[in-house]
Amino acid sequence: MHQFVARVAFAAFVAFASMPATSSVADAASMQHAAVIDVQYRPVRGCWPVEAVQKARWAGLRNARVTHMTPKRVAVSGRGYRGWEQMWFANVRGCPLIRR
């Protein structure tokens, strides 16, 4: 009985160890191809006006809208706690805040 259990365990081990070896090549090719399909191209750009307005609203401006846009900065105006306020964002990727 001991030899039977040992042979069954050995056969199961061999079967289990051989399964990943046979499918890994096919899986690697499909994963590489899937990764190429899922990659989205995002070009380098400046600050989108929508992104600047969202950041201004998150910072507390109500009725925020873009009032002035130059190649270097984007101005967003809206209502703050003390009345009308204006925020300036750099016209680069990510819209960092310059001045409030």
Side-chain angles (χ1 to χ4, degrees):
M1 182 72 182
H2 181 62
Q3 289 180 347
F4 177 75
V5 173
R7 286 180 185 169
V8 170
F10 181 74
F13 175 76
V14 170
F16 183 74
S18 65
M19 284 193 316
T22 58
S23 64
S24 65
V25 175
D27 287 343
S30 66
M31 291 299 287
Q32 182 182 10
H33 184 64
V36 172
I37 292 173
D38 292 337
V39 172
Q40 294 180 357
Y41 175 71
R42 186 174 179 182
V44 177
R45 56 161 172 79
C47 178
W48 286 90
V50 174
E51 189 176 359
V53 169
Q54 287 175 349
K55 283 192 162 202
R57 286 182 180 161
W58 186 80
L61 283 183
R62 296 182 307 271
N63 298 331
R65 60 189 66 166
V66 175
T67 55
H68 190 70
M69 192 166 181
T70 67
K72 291 187 176 184
R73 57 189 178 179
V74 178
V76 178
S77 298
R79 292 283 297 180
Y81 293 110
R82 291 173 267 150
W84 289 100
E85 293 183 11
Q86 193 169 29
M87 296 178 75
W88 292 91
F89 297 96
N91 197 359
V92 296
R93 185 175 183 180
C95 296
L97 180 65
I98 297 174
R99 179 174 59 136
R100 181 164 186 175

